[in-house]
Amino acid sequence: MTVESLERIEENFREALKNREFCVWYQPQMDMRTGRPRGAEALVRWQKSDGMLITPAVFVPLFERAGLTAELDQEVMESVCRDICEADRLGFPFGPVSVNLSRLHAERKQIREQFRMIMDKYGVSEKQISFEIVETGEESVNGAGMLRFAEDLQGAGFRIAMDDYGIGGSTLKLLQEICFDILKLDRHFVSRIGDPRADVILDSTICMAGKLGVEVVAEGVETEEQIHFLLEHQCYLGQGYYYSRPLPKEEYIRWRRAYETAV
């Protein structure tokens, strides 16, 4: 990628920030034993001024290359805290909400203080937010920096999750070094439930997490067969299209109200 193209990406990013074109959608996370919501994952979307909706698969890789994902995460954090605050005023149980964080934050000083300022601004507590550490910037962040970053977040009272376990850099080495609170099973493995080799991998992973005292959340849950397998193997939390697609804030509020009334 040329210097000119990087400059163009950053210019578009700054303009989008200025116009507040980045919005947050919410995908419910469910207790599969009871069928009740246990919170949601915050997922960023880019709603351009002309109405065009751009998905993260398109713009996040570009922002990663330009080193802009940490700033994007901070914008998402602001939106999530604002949404939680609005819901609290209406007496609506919006959270807890899990927010994705790039590993590039590990190299940013005072990031905990910056998040604290945002949360204090909206009156949001640590119990209403958790963080999912994603693969962005993996090559540029050393293990010691990641460990300090994770310990800093946990020391401030946040729960942290290893996202997309089983692919990329989410390795056993990282799980051994960092005391994650939550392990998120990547949808790649969940979608292959029923394949003998995938079943063995999932069974052993869930068992290992249980022995480590780590809560497991399955991503990409789409069928009753998958839910039955996961519950049988003591994975109780899941998210996916079986329950709901990611929803804009207003639709998420309507969905959750209707779901809790029905259940």
Side-chain angles (χ1 to χ4, degrees):
M1 185 174 291
T2 65
V3 172
E4 291 78 9
S5 60
L6 286 173
E7 290 176 347
R8 181 64 182 274
I9 290 170
E10 182 166 2
E11 180 182 334
N12 291 336
F13 175 75
R14 300 296 173 199
E15 187 69 18
L17 279 181
K18 178 182 176 182
N19 296 331
R20 293 185 63 176
E21 294 179 357
F22 296 113
C23 55
V24 176
W25 289 22
Y26 297 91
Q27 184 168 36
Q29 294 180 343
M30 310 293 292
D31 186 328
M32 296 184 291
R33 295 166 294 186
T34 63
R36 298 190 68 85
R38 276 277 302 270
E41 178 182 359
L43 300 165
V44 65
R45 300 290 186 268
W46 187 356
Q47 184 85 53
K48 299 191 73 174
S49 56
D50 61 4
M52 179 184 295
L53 184 67
I54 306 176
T55 65
V58 174
F59 65 83
V60 167
L62 297 176
F63 293 162
E64 286 177 357
R65 297 188 194 109
L68 299 169
T69 48
E71 292 182 70
L72 178 62
D73 291 346
Q74 195 161 332
E75 177 73 6
V76 169
M77 182 70 170
E78 179 96 20
S79 295
V80 168
C81 289
R82 183 169 55 245
D83 290 346
I84 291 175
C85 178
E86 291 177 4
D88 283 349
R89 285 202 298 264
L90 297 173
F92 177 75
F94 196 86
V97 176
S98 62
V99 177
N100 291 292
L101 288 185
S102 162
R103 294 188 181 194
L104 291 177
H105 287 289
E107 297 182 335
R108 300 180 72 195
K109 296 180 179 180
Q110 300 180 326
I111 185 61
R112 188 180 73 176
E113 288 74 15
Q114 291 172 354
F115 285 159
R116 169 54 54 202
M117 289 177 61
I118 295 172
M119 294 171 68
D120 288 346
K121 176 181 176 182
Y122 295 102
V124 174
S125 72
E126 294 85 355
K127 293 182 180 180
Q128 294 171 290
I129 297 284
S130 64
F131 292 114
E132 300 183 16
I133 299 177
V134 299
E135 299 307 311
T136 307
E138 173 192 358
E139 294 180 357
S140 64
V141 179
N142 61 43
M146 268 297 301
L147 179 58
R148 286 193 300 271
F149 177 47
E151 290 178 341
D152 200 31
L153 291 175
Q154 289 176 316
F158 297 104
R159 301 179 78 211
I160 60 170
M162 176 188 285
D163 196 23
D164 299 331
Y165 180 81
I167 62 172
S170 293
T171 63
L172 288 172
K173 180 176 181 290
L174 190 62
L175 188 61
Q176 186 271 324
E177 291 175 343
I178 298 176
C179 296
F180 287 96
D181 303 289
I182 304 162
L183 184 152
K184 298 197 73 177
L185 294 173
D186 187 74
R187 66 184 64 248
H188 171 87
F189 296 102
V190 174
S191 69
R192 286 160 175 76
I193 286 175
D195 176 278
R197 294 178 67 85
D199 289 354
V200 169
I201 292 171
L202 284 173
D203 177 41
S204 61
T205 299
I206 296 168
C207 180
M208 173 190 65
K211 291 180 178 179
L212 291 172
V214 178
E215 190 171 49
V216 179
V217 179
E219 297 183 300
V221 176
E222 297 185 354
T223 69
E224 291 187 5
E225 176 191 6
Q226 293 167 353
I227 293 172
H228 178 75
F229 176 92
L230 292 165
L231 289 176
E232 189 177 71
H233 292 81
Q234 288 76 55
C235 173
Y236 302 125
L237 301 181
Q239 66 185 84
Y241 285 7
Y242 180 87
Y243 296 106
S244 175
R245 296 171 179 268
L247 301 169
K249 178 187 67 175
E250 293 79 8
E251 290 185 31
Y252 170 65
I253 290 175
R254 288 196 296 269
W255 176 91
R256 184 156 174 176
R257 279 177 171 161
Y259 208 99
E260 293 196 344
T261 300
V263 175

